[in-house]
Amino acid sequence: KKNPWEFLMKGDLVIVPSRSEGDGLVVLEAIQNGFPLLMSDIKDFRRFGFQPDLLCANVQEFTARIKAVSVDERPIYISENITRQILQTRNKTFITQEWERFLKKLM
């Protein structure tokens, strides 16, 4: 699909059970679109700085976390500060400035 995010409804939970990941584009798109998510507890996702309760080490942890969310015991919360920091680094202006700084160092 050209835009798979249009098929999700508000409050849908995005689960990213990857064992390894490159850039983590699905995670970035999920937070950009305002969806709660759970992801594998892997180095590639830890680098984002999400709170630990969004990371699951195995199927049992995913299952327990999903069950807890479904009965509102532990709502999934993504810090607005972390979301802002992560998305800022993907902003065209920020990226351009970083490249300019890098290239100036080479001159």
Side-chain angles (χ1 to χ4, degrees), residues 2-107:
K2 190 170 187 170
N3 180 12
W5 299 103
E6 69 187 21
F7 295 96
L8 278 73
M9 294 188 290
K10 183 178 169 122
D12 280 353
L13 175 62
V14 176
I15 298 173
V16 188
S18 303
R19 290 186 180 166
S20 65
E21 192 70 39
D23 190 40
L25 188 56
V26 171
V27 170
L28 294 169
E29 288 179 353
I31 65 170
Q32 185 176 29
N33 285 287
F35 290 103
L37 75 149
L38 293 175
M39 64 205 97
S40 294
D41 187 4
I42 58 175
K43 173 184 73 165
D44 303 314
F45 293 149
R46 277 187 240 126
R47 71 182 168 85
F48 287 119
F50 289 117
Q51 54 272 26
D53 63 341
L54 299 180
L55 303 170
C56 302
N58 53 46
V59 173
Q60 292 78 16
E61 284 188 20
F62 274 108
T63 303
R65 188 71 175 103
I66 291 165
K67 285 180 181 177
V69 170
S70 68
V71 293
D72 293 323
E73 290 176 17
R74 296 177 61 195
I76 291 181
Y77 162 75
I78 299 172
S79 161
E80 286 183 32
N81 189 37
I82 290 173
T83 299
R84 190 175 27 260
Q85 288 174 353
I86 292 169
L87 295 179
Q88 176 189 344
T89 64
R90 302 304 173 119
N91 176 289
K92 290 181 215 177
T93 303
F94 179 83
I95 293 169
T96 301
Q97 290 170 349
E98 289 297 304
W99 272 107
E100 287 174 350
R101 267 192 284 265
F102 174 74
L103 293 171
K104 284 179 184 177
K105 287 180 183 179
L106 295 177
M107 299 173 108

